[in-house]
Amino acid sequence: MNKTNLGKNSSESENSRPSNYRLNAPSLADSHYSRQLYILKAITLLAIACTLPLGLLALSKDQSPLSYTLLSIAFLATLNYVLILTKKISYALATAVISYPLVLLMLYLVAAGGVNNTGSLWIYSLPVVILFLHGLKKGGAILCAFLLAMVWILFVPDNIFLHTVYTFDYKARLILVFILDATLTAAYEYSTENLFGKMKLLTEELSNIAEEDQLTQLRNRRGVHYHMERIYAQAKRDDTNMSLIMCDIDYFKDVNDRYGHEAGDKVLMEVASVIKNTIRRTDIAARWGGEEFLVILPKTNEKEAYLVAEKIRKNILDLLITHEKYQIKVSLSAGIADNKHTSSVDGLIKLADNYMYEAKSKGRNITCPTMFYY
């Protein structure tokens, strides 16, 4: 943000930036989500790379239950990967498709033993996958459920699901090492989420500072430009109206010269407050330049915008600003324009600006175009 005017009556200008989400999603965003999506793809490919050849190997050795299980998961993972690439699946569903079958596979390997009773060792890959894909709370709940199911399979006597034999020491170590693995992974995930949360708050705070006029608490030129582009594009898609009001405090230089810059700042703050309290919650007000203000009116035609501008102008006329021993009154000149008369945002701004200067040239304290007086 341009620091030349946090307190005095000057202005800032710049353009801004977009953002988005579907299988395009969470954010610090886009960079954080890109990382999540990249690792989801990597986990999915790794699942295919592990289950497909092992499934084919088990099939060649007539290990039917194991081969069918592995090949089914390989098929699901392949389908999941294709849907991710074509963006035909949400991030949440994609994580569920890859993670829940893996949980069931790990329980099956614990119960069946796998090749030479080594299948149970694959469970140590589960915490990092589940906690990364689902986060600490949901991932922790899934791992706790998995742990309880595994304890039940291994230690409940005469269990119909356990189809292999483990020694007690092996079973105890399997559980304890899994708990240690899950705990260390959870600690890492907690620190990562905590750091990301702090970065997100800091990013939002810096974004607000960059896009807010510190004196009036309205959006600045940089902050409002993105919203203008977005609302204009939406209105064009929906074939609806949007309007702009460009207004300027009359003889503002005289206020500064006569009463001082602190009085000028007080006038700017009071005028901003009146504008903000006059418009709808869906409208957006901004400090456009030194003593210039801009109001975006979505779903509003030129005639309706004129009425809003007149209401603002009359409310400003009724405003009595007290500064030290002085009582100051000001007026506004306003220009309005709607999107039906222009083909671009820049054209809309220029048209509203031209009408504002027309209001100045006609004696100030009016709204132009004046065709709607009735």
Side-chain angles (χ1 to χ4, degrees):
M1 181 173 117
N2 187 347
K3 290 187 177 178
T4 57
N5 179 42
L6 294 183
K8 299 303 174 195
N9 19 51
S10 59
S11 67
E12 319 157 46
S13 73
E14 269 179 35
N15 294 331
S16 29
R17 70 327 166 210
S19 66
N20 250 338
Y21 178 170
R22 180 194 173 0
L23 205 261
N24 290 337
S27 114
L28 170 48
D30 292 339
S31 59
H32 178 69
Y33 176 66
S34 295
R35 176 176 168 270
Q36 285 185 307
L37 190 57
Y38 176 81
I39 296 180
L40 174 60
K41 290 178 183 176
I43 290 171
T44 305
L45 284 174
L46 191 60
I48 298 168
C50 291
T51 55
L52 183 58
L54 289 176
L56 293 173
L57 182 62
L59 187 63
S60 69
K61 294 181 178 180
D62 281 334
Q63 296 172 324
S64 298
L66 179 61
S67 64
Y68 294 155
T69 302
L70 290 171
L71 291 174
S72 296
I73 291 176
F75 172 76
L76 275 177
T78 304
L79 179 62
N80 197 44
Y81 188 75
V82 171
L83 292 174
I84 291 171
L85 289 181
T86 55
K87 297 185 179 181
K88 292 182 178 179
I89 188 171
S90 68
Y91 180 84
L93 183 56
T95 58
V97 169
I98 195 65
S99 57
Y100 294 131
L102 283 178
V103 170
L104 294 175
L105 173 63
M106 296 305 155
L107 288 175
Y108 171 77
L109 290 175
V110 169
V115 179
N116 298 324
N117 258 11
T118 60
S120 59
L121 298 177
W122 285 95
I123 66 171
Y124 300 127
S125 65
L126 198 59
V128 67
V129 172
I130 297 300
L131 289 173
F132 179 83
L133 293 180
H134 292 280
L136 196 57
K137 290 182 180 179
K138 187 176 179 181
I142 293 170
L143 290 177
C144 285
F146 173 82
L147 180 62
L148 289 173
M150 185 167 59
V151 168
W152 185 76
I153 290 171
L154 291 175
F155 290 101
V156 172
D158 302 321
N159 194 317
I160 61 170
F161 292 103
L162 186 61
H163 298 289
T164 189
V165 177
Y166 299 113
T167 65
F168 179 85
D169 287 346
Y170 179 84
K171 291 189 286 187
R173 289 190 176 105
L174 187 72
I175 295 291
L176 290 174
V177 175
F178 178 80
I179 292 172
L180 178 62
D181 180 27
T183 302
L184 292 175
T185 307
Y188 174 78
E189 184 65 22
Y190 172 78
S191 65
T192 302
E193 285 188 6
N194 191 43
L195 179 61
F196 174 70
K198 290 179 180 178
M199 288 175 63
K200 186 178 179 182
L201 287 175
L202 181 60
T203 301
E204 289 173 356
E205 186 178 336
L206 291 174
S207 178
N208 288 335
I209 291 172
E211 297 183 0
E212 184 180 273
D213 179 68
Q214 300 300 294
L215 180 64
T216 62
Q217 305 300 302
L218 299 179
R219 295 185 186 278
N220 59 22
R221 193 164 184 158
R222 173 193 177 102
V224 80
H225 209 280
Y226 163 67
H227 294 282
M228 211 171 345
E229 295 276 3
R230 176 179 57 81
I231 294 169
Y232 187 90
Q234 183 70 47
K236 189 173 182 180
R237 280 196 301 271
D238 298 342
D239 194 27
T240 56
N241 291 95
M242 76 160 282
S243 295
L244 288 188
I245 301 172
M246 186 77 76
C247 50
D248 184 88
I249 302 173
D250 298 327
Y251 302 110
F252 182 71
K253 184 177 182 301
D254 293 346
V255 174
N256 276 334
D257 292 344
R258 184 174 179 181
Y259 304 108
H261 285 282
E262 285 188 9
D265 287 347
K266 182 78 176 288
V267 168
L268 288 171
M269 288 188 286
E270 293 287 346
V271 168
S273 180
V274 168
I275 293 173
K276 189 160 47 176
N277 292 329
T278 303
I279 61 177
R280 304 167 301 184
R281 293 184 66 181
T282 52
D283 302 330
I284 299 173
R287 184 180 174 195
W288 188 250
E291 67 270 23
E292 288 184 3
F293 295 88
L294 178 141
V295 182
I296 305 173
L297 304 169
K299 298 182 180 178
T300 305
N301 62 34
E302 194 175 29
K303 201 174 268 193
E304 293 164 334
Y306 175 83
L307 296 176
V308 176
E310 278 293 279
K311 189 175 181 182
I312 292 171
R313 186 185 66 80
K314 290 172 182 176
N315 287 345
I316 295 297
L317 273 182
D318 294 336
L319 182 64
L320 186 63
I321 302 162
T322 302
H323 176 70
E324 297 177 350
K325 62 180 180 179
Y326 304 110
Q327 290 189 321
I328 307 167
K329 290 187 71 67
V330 293
S331 63
L332 282 184
S333 296
I336 57 171
D338 79 0
N339 60 328
K340 299 301 181 181
H341 298 297
T342 62
S343 58
S344 68
V345 169
D346 289 340
L348 187 63
I349 295 169
K350 186 175 181 181
L351 185 59
D353 199 49
N354 288 343
Y355 278 128
M356 184 189 73
Y357 280 103
E358 182 181 322
K360 293 277 189 188
S361 68
K362 288 183 176 180
R364 294 177 168 80
N365 190 29
I366 62 170
T367 301
C368 284
T370 56
M371 63 188 79
F372 303 120
Y373 278 112
Y374 51 79

